[in-house]
Amino acid sequence: SICICPGGISAPPAVRWMRSPSETRRVDAERMNRPPLEVADIVRCAGQSFVERSRKWINGQHEKVLLAITRCRTAALGGHRDQCADCGHTAISYNSCRNRHCPKCQGNARRRWLQARERELLPTRYVHVVFTLPRELAPLALQNKRLIYNLLFHTSAATLLEIARDPRHLGAEIGFFSVLHTWDQRLQHHPHVHCVLAAGGLAPGHSRWISSRRSFFLPVKVLGRVFRGKFVAGLKTAFHAGTLQFHGHLLPLAEPCAFASWLRVLFRHDWVVYSKRPFSGPEHVLRYLGAYTHRVAISNSRLVALANGHVTFRWRDSAHGNQKRLIALPVEEFLRRFLLHLLPRGFMRIRNFGFLANRRRAELLPLCLRLLQSSDHPAVATASPAALPIPSLWRCPLCGGTMQVVERLSAAQLLLRSPPHLSRCAA
């Protein structure tokens, strides 16, 4: 359970136990590495008052996420005793909440995912492509998250597969994975999909590997127009099937004529598709992927201050040379924007397509590797495990060895380790 105090939602107090000198050094080191301000601190400060004032729209999922963030890595979730495999040093750590919207819980998930992807990377160059929905669609996406986000995944993937298959462009079957992000640097709603693709694909008949040009992959203007057509067609299908929801100021769009007029506005400008130049091989790809997978709307490292009812955080101004700037938002507005980016329950935010699709990967991925190794095209050397270190997240503070879990501790067991109150000691 959480404690309700005048300042808002707060986590159960951290357990204190009699620490050895080495344990004290470890805790001090963790505090030095920990950001001075965390999203959990903001929720504890103003979460309860925010929830009470937002009853018109807030739901159980929102409250569950806020609760998980406040309990993360506290005694409320239990913990474990770790021991160094080299020097035998022991320490007690609290468990994480493992909620995918928690800023502190994505490190382990990212590490496991990258280790799995390391086995699937091909010895070739890679490309990063981003599909962005226009701002006119953002309100509709908020009211139909599952439908719109699924449509964004499917139409962006279908666009890439169709244009890459066209002999006028690449003439090959490509493989890639897509990651959904729904925010911009100021936490506003900005749905877009990051796609990471091998710079080439399988020729028709799967007889050889076709590589793209070194400085060019696919034409972004063509991608944008095809993407726009496919997405608007998907919206029309959903509208006629009655699966689109309209609430509040969007309610007039429930009328067919109004909806058709609104769709015509979407064709007045090109949709944004961004593509970077192909970059080097697997060792760069893994480092690159870590910046895009398993992210949440804002990381704790971007938070600067919580004062006078405002949260100050850093953001990158892409319109002015990616300059770092500060923005201050009222606490309740900050929490509202943070909760805009909660995904529907069970929604998969990382998906595979083409020859990386789950049902085809086992057959086609080894074939791609064989064709690349035997082709005349110069391939990028596969990185060795030593060149792609993914370090353990928990190292011994004394000798740097690997810490291993030797005992699981429940919340009740951690509370029993707390020293008695001073009043009881005096008695």
Side-chain angles (χ1 to χ4, degrees):
S1 62
I2 60 175
C3 305
I4 307 299
C5 63
I9 296 180
S10 66
V15 174
R16 300 177 178 86
W17 57 85
M18 302 305 292
R19 300 189 181 101
S20 64
S22 61
E23 180 71 11
T24 301
R25 288 195 296 271
R26 182 186 74 83
V27 173
D28 291 341
E30 286 183 350
R31 287 174 177 171
M32 290 178 63
N33 295 328
R34 184 177 301 165
L37 180 64
E38 297 181 348
V39 173
D41 300 321
I42 300 170
V43 178
R44 294 182 188 117
C45 175
Q48 186 61 34
S49 59
F50 167 75
V51 169
E52 294 300 330
R53 295 180 185 180
S54 308
R55 288 296 181 190
K56 290 183 178 180
W57 62 270
I58 207 165
N59 59 32
Q61 185 193 13
H62 296 138
E63 295 187 70
K64 182 178 179 180
V65 169
L66 293 178
L67 176 60
I69 290 174
T70 60
R71 290 160 61 100
C72 186
R73 298 185 189 176
T74 69
L77 299 181
H80 46 89
R81 187 167 63 87
D82 307 322
Q83 187 173 36
C84 178
D86 296 334
C87 70
H89 168 71
T90 61
I92 293 179
S93 303
Y94 296 132
N95 291 333
S96 300
C97 66
R98 297 188 179 183
N99 191 292
R100 63 174 170 171
H101 301 101
C102 174
K104 289 192 290 190
C105 285
Q106 303 311 303
N108 284 325
R110 182 188 298 112
R111 181 169 173 266
R112 290 191 297 268
W113 189 85
L114 289 176
Q115 286 176 330
R117 298 292 79 72
E118 182 180 357
R119 298 188 294 269
E120 299 173 359
L121 292 175
L122 297 171
T124 185
R125 293 170 294 115
Y126 277 78
V127 183
H128 178 200
V129 181
V130 184
F131 290 83
T132 303
L133 291 183
R135 62 179 180 272
E136 293 88 352
L137 279 169
L140 185 66
L142 280 176
Q143 297 184 10
N144 301 268
K145 284 185 176 182
R146 188 179 297 275
L147 189 152
I148 297 296
Y149 296 164
N150 274 324
L151 189 59
L152 175 56
F153 267 119
H154 294 317
T155 54
S156 61
T159 298
L160 283 172
L161 292 169
E162 179 180 316
I163 301 303
R165 198 180 296 119
D166 191 330
R168 293 174 296 176
H169 301 298
L170 184 62
E173 179 184 348
I174 59 176
F176 57 97
F177 71 86
S178 301
V179 183
L180 173 68
H181 287 184
T182 63
W183 56 84
D184 63 11
Q185 283 282 303
R186 292 180 291 178
L187 293 187
Q188 294 171 321
H189 193 232
H190 180 67
H192 57 285
V193 161
H194 295 267
C195 307
V196 177
L197 317 87
L202 293 169
H206 299 171
S207 58
R208 62 189 178 94
W209 177 268
I210 300 177
S211 294
S212 68
R213 282 182 277 172
R214 179 158 293 275
S215 61
F216 177 79
F217 183 60
L218 294 173
V220 292
K221 286 190 176 180
V222 175
L223 290 174
R225 290 166 185 166
V226 174
F227 171 53
R228 179 182 62 187
K230 289 182 178 296
F231 196 95
V232 172
L235 284 178
K236 291 179 180 178
T237 301
F239 180 82
H240 293 307
T243 54
L244 272 178
Q245 302 287 323
F246 301 97
H247 305 284
H249 67 284
L250 295 182
L251 194 57
L253 294 181
E255 294 296 327
C257 292
F259 185 74
S261 300
W262 180 74
L263 285 182
R264 284 194 290 271
V265 175
L266 299 177
F267 278 95
R268 291 179 181 173
H269 53 81
D270 291 335
W271 288 21
V272 177
V273 176
Y274 171 76
S275 177
K276 285 192 175 182
R277 291 167 60 93
F279 51 89
S280 298
E283 69 279 5
H284 296 282
V285 174
L286 277 185
R287 193 179 304 115
Y288 194 80
L289 296 185
Y292 289 95
T293 62
H294 300 85
R295 289 181 64 180
V296 296
I298 189 169
S299 61
N300 288 327
S301 60
R302 287 176 54 196
L303 300 176
V304 175
L306 172 60
N308 302 321
H310 285 71
V311 179
T312 303
F313 60 92
R314 285 182 290 269
W315 67 286
R316 187 181 68 254
D317 189 355
S318 58
H320 297 87
N322 288 329
Q323 292 184 10
K324 296 291 183 65
R325 303 184 186 276
L326 296 179
I327 182 174
L329 296 177
V331 173
E332 294 195 358
E333 173 62 13
F334 174 86
L335 292 175
R336 185 193 72 83
R337 291 192 187 186
F338 181 82
L339 293 180
L340 286 178
H341 310 293
L342 268 60
L343 296 176
R345 289 184 178 90
F347 189 88
M348 299 296 295
R349 62 185 300 266
I350 304 179
R351 305 187 185 186
N352 301 291
F353 300 95
F355 61 69
L356 284 181
N358 294 337
R359 67 180 183 275
R360 310 182 68 197
R361 181 189 304 138
E363 174 189 358
L364 295 183
L365 199 59
L367 174 61
C368 293
L369 184 59
R370 290 197 301 271
L371 292 175
L372 275 168
Q373 291 173 340
S374 62
S375 67
D376 295 331
H377 300 284
V380 179
T382 305
S384 62
L388 297 172
I390 304 178
S392 172
L393 297 179
W394 184 198
R395 292 284 181 178
C396 176
L398 301 183
C399 70
T402 303
M403 299 292 285
Q404 300 175 342
V405 178
V406 295
E407 182 184 7
R408 299 287 180 181
L409 302 169
S410 66
Q413 288 173 312
L414 284 172
L415 291 173
L416 288 175
R417 289 173 177 261
S418 302
H421 292 289
L422 294 178
S423 58
R424 295 179 184 175
C425 293

